[in-house]
Amino acid sequence: MGKKIEESKWRDLLYEIEQNVPPVSYRTWFLPLTPLEYDEKAKTISFACSESFKIDVLRKRYIPVFEKCVAKVFEKPMKVMLLDKSADEIKETLASKSKPFNPVINDDDDTNDFKEEFYLNPRQNFENFVVGDNNSYAHAVSLAVAESPAKVYNPLFLYGGSGLGKTHLMHAIGHYILKHNPDMKVLYVSSEMFTSELLDAIRDQSSAEKINKFKQKYRSVDVLMIDDIQFIEGKEATQNEFFFTFNTLYELNKQIVISSDRPPNKLTDLDERLRSRFGWSMVTDIKPPDFETRVAILMNKAEDQQVTMDEDFIEAIDLIAEKIKFNIRDLESALNRTISLSAHKNQKPTAKFVRENLTDLFPVKDIDITCETVKKAVCKKFNIKITDIESKKRKREFSYPRQIAMYLCRELTDLSLPKIGDSFGRDHTTVLHACDKISKEIKTNQNLADEIRELKETI
Ligand code: ADP
Ligand code: MG
């Protein structure tokens, strides 16, 4: 029988892993693991996770680094075993042991009048918000606001480009506050809604009641979140009303959260009084996600869907993440299109499938990639000459870049194996061999995978 992995060892191991993998990968793949036990005789150490796709990713990409870290912390090499177990099974295994790293999720649905009205999307919460370098600060201050509304950062002003997660964070704040303070009145509203409600109230001349009701509604909340404030630029009546709402809430020490596609000082068509109020805020931005974060977000989304998370699918995800860099909404829609189209056509969702079916992601210039472009880029990267890559020289310093170039030609052009072979003065079996070798190696060699990605980007 194995021994329990002590909490302190688990912490040491996590620390070691954190030093060796990108932060977002650490948080997304390693942190959710539950340490189970280790067996000195069998030289194995096991971990569980109820989300099987995370296990798949770990198995495919992280075993070498995982085992390296285990060896360091436990001072002996051990084989890492990853068990795909449900949360209940894990609980059973750990029956009497504590589980420091698993958050308790309590989904009691208390009713609160304000709750139903204000359209908090249940799918946008902190649990499924992937944190990367691009948004970690915005995430941290949002969580702080959610934990202590009106106590830490008030107002909070979130800004960033379209599709980067501003609305998601606001909804997450709303859910969190309602869960922990069910009596609080939390109001989330888009600026369009705010404007149209206000205009409705003003237009209804028949009674002053409607406008009073409007004021009452907005000025009686504990938390007001107003999304896409740039929308009220140039709209005087709306700005005026919002100014008074803002002041009232601020004086009553209520939490205000505002989002915008620009920082306050760039909202040039906004009343100066409002702009300066926003200037008192905690102003924080969200940037576009890096590659690792994009992959993590896609993996998280794919988890909800019925797809087999195999190597082919992971390659498809990598390709989507390579192509779409600036908008998470677009990332999601490319993923959804891939999944539904592949189901519809009854084909596997592979990188090739993505390339062939999501043609809008692959601008025409992709078609113009030739073996020459590939060779040039590879030679530049490895600092060798075109004549070397085309030569029969067998030294590794030439043969390795040559194999990479063949692999890239196969990936990036529509040329047949014999055609690619011709351009290197080889036959098609050599090309096939190179492609197999490189595609296998990419899976175990992170350096090579990174190099290939960079090369693809330059090409
Ligand atoms: P914005 O309001 O900034 O335009 P959204 O909050 O609407 O962007 O985000 C667009 C989509 O991307 C939403 O479906 C959202 O759930 C998703 N999204 C954005 N950021 C993240 C993230 N860090 N993790 C997971 N999903 C995200
Ligand atoms: Mg939004």
Side-chain angles (χ1 to χ4, degrees):
M1 265 311 284
K3 286 192 212 160
K4 179 189 163 193
I5 300 170
E6 279 166 15
E7 201 184 311
S8 63
K9 275 282 189 228
W10 176 225
R11 280 183 201 282
D12 290 350
L13 182 57
L14 281 176
Y15 178 78
E16 187 60 31
I17 293 167
E18 200 179 1
Q19 309 306 308
N20 282 280
V21 302
V24 58
S25 317
Y26 165 75
R27 284 189 296 266
T28 313
W29 315 124
F30 290 94
L31 217 44
L33 289 175
T34 306
L36 294 178
E37 55 178 28
Y38 68 104
D39 187 330
E40 292 189 337
K41 257 203 191 138
K43 296 206 177 78
T44 58
I45 180 163
S46 55
F47 304 84
C49 179
S50 55
E51 294 158 292
S52 59
F53 81 100
K54 294 195 173 167
I55 298 270
D56 285 341
V57 173
L58 282 164
R59 281 196 189 130
K60 293 204 169 91
R61 300 191 160 168
Y62 293 103
I63 291 291
V65 60
F66 205 165
E67 290 185 341
K68 193 181 99 192
C69 296
V70 164
K72 181 151 180 214
V73 171
F74 288 80
E75 294 173 330
K76 55 178 83 78
M78 280 190 275
K79 201 169 152 48
V80 166
M81 319 278 283
L82 295 164
L83 310 183
D84 177 352
K85 288 201 170 193
S86 76
D88 281 347
E89 286 172 295
I90 294 173
K91 250 188 230 152
E92 260 175 43
T93 317
L94 294 175
S96 56
K97 304 165 194 170
S98 61
K99 282 201 297 168
F101 288 100
N102 286 7
V104 181
I105 297 167
N106 165 16
D107 267 337
D108 285 353
D109 212 351
D110 279 305
T111 37
N112 171 329
D113 287 347
F114 264 78
K115 202 169 179 177
E116 284 148 38
E117 194 181 348
F118 308 123
Y119 329 16
L120 292 181
N121 180 343
R123 300 166 64 86
Q124 301 193 325
N125 47 47
F126 281 119
E127 279 79 24
N128 64 11
F129 187 84
V130 176
V131 184
D133 289 341
N134 62 310
N135 60 21
S136 62
Y137 193 62
H139 170 264
V141 293
S142 298
L143 187 60
V145 162
E147 285 169 345
S148 344
K151 300 240 163 58
V152 279
Y153 304 121
N154 194 23
L156 169 62
F157 190 102
L158 293 168
Y159 77 91
S162 173
L164 294 182
K166 302 181 293 293
T167 301
H168 189 134
L169 277 179
M170 291 176 118
H171 285 233
I173 293 174
H175 287 303
Y176 191 101
I177 294 179
L178 284 172
K179 191 154 116 192
H180 295 87
N181 312 275
D183 296 332
M184 275 197 171
K185 290 181 179 171
V186 174
L187 178 45
Y188 163 87
V189 69
S190 67
S191 300
E192 283 104 318
M193 276 269 286
F194 182 85
T195 305
S196 89
E197 258 183 72
L198 175 69
L199 294 183
D200 253 12
I202 295 173
R203 226 175 272 135
D204 196 348
Q205 299 282 7
S206 57
S207 68
E209 207 183 308
K210 218 164 171 186
I211 186 83
N212 284 337
K213 231 174 146 186
F214 175 90
K215 290 187 179 171
Q216 178 58 22
K217 171 177 166 184
Y218 281 95
R219 296 181 194 181
S220 68
V221 296
D222 297 298
V223 180
L224 176 65
M225 296 190 278
I226 181 150
D227 207 352
D228 290 317
I229 198 79
Q230 74 275 359
F231 184 81
I232 71 169
E233 267 191 317
K235 298 193 172 72
E236 228 174 280
T238 312
Q239 291 187 24
N240 241 338
E241 183 54 36
F242 185 67
F243 179 71
F244 289 114
T245 307
F246 184 101
N247 283 349
T248 310
L249 292 176
Y250 190 76
E251 274 157 26
L252 292 169
N253 196 26
K254 304 297 187 187
Q255 178 72 47
I256 302 166
V257 182
I258 298 162
S259 85
S260 161
D261 67 349
R262 274 159 280 159
N265 60 1
K266 292 269 164 62
L267 292 166
T268 42
D269 250 348
L270 198 70
D271 186 334
E272 176 53 37
R273 295 174 305 170
L274 265 181
R275 213 175 6 202
S276 77
R277 292 286 186 285
F278 295 164
W280 310 336
S281 317
M282 172 70 197
V283 177
T284 160
D285 70 331
I286 307 184
K287 295 195 179 64
D290 60 14
F291 176 75
E292 287 289 339
T293 310
R294 299 198 295 276
V295 169
I297 289 172
L298 286 172
M299 293 286 193
N300 248 9
K301 303 280 172 196
E303 180 192 9
D304 299 339
Q305 320 235 10
Q306 301 214 324
V307 277
T308 333
M309 196 67 69
D310 57 9
E311 249 161 61
D312 286 335
F313 187 65
I314 291 173
E315 268 174 33
I317 282 190
D318 281 357
L319 181 60
I320 295 172
E322 263 168 38
K323 283 285 160 184
I324 303 176
K325 300 190 170 127
F326 302 107
N327 187 323
I328 296 168
R329 200 173 294 118
D330 293 349
L331 266 184
E332 280 179 356
S333 96
L335 177 73
N336 291 338
R337 271 155 65 211
T338 305
I339 294 173
S340 58
L341 261 177
S342 72
H344 176 71
K345 296 193 170 184
N346 206 6
Q347 291 176 16
K348 281 197 82 180
T350 60
K352 188 161 169 276
F353 182 86
V354 170
R355 202 168 270 289
E356 285 168 2
N357 288 278
L358 275 65
T359 41
D360 52 320
L361 300 187
F362 300 91
V364 189
K365 76 176 185 357
D366 268 15
I367 298 165
D368 292 327
I369 294 177
T370 61
C371 291
E372 303 316 309
T373 355
V374 173
K375 282 188 226 167
K376 249 193 224 153
V378 174
C379 287
K380 188 160 174 227
K381 170 137 191 90
F382 289 92
N383 210 3
I384 59 175
K385 295 201 206 79
I386 297 270
T387 46
D388 292 330
I389 212 167
E390 288 173 347
S391 74
K392 305 261 177 208
K393 290 178 191 164
R394 292 184 143 198
K395 269 214 242 148
R396 190 177 151 84
E397 60 174 306
F398 305 124
S399 66
Y400 194 57
R402 189 181 300 130
Q403 287 172 335
I404 290 178
M406 288 177 174
Y407 168 86
L408 285 172
C409 286
R410 180 76 178 148
E411 279 264 296
L412 302 179
T413 72
D414 294 327
L415 297 171
S416 63
L417 291 171
K419 281 249 165 66
I420 297 173
D422 283 350
S423 112
F424 289 84
R426 304 296 161 97
D427 68 16
H428 72 279
T429 51
T430 314
V431 181
L432 192 58
H433 170 73
C435 294
D436 280 349
K437 178 166 175 264
I438 298 296
S439 49
K440 279 204 191 99
E441 213 175 312
I442 286 176
K443 282 167 196 142
T444 52
N445 180 342
Q446 190 60 42
N447 268 346
L448 176 64
D450 290 341
E451 269 171 8
I452 297 272
R453 198 178 64 243
E454 280 166 27
L455 276 167
K456 279 187 185 167
E457 266 165 28
T458 34
I459 293 168

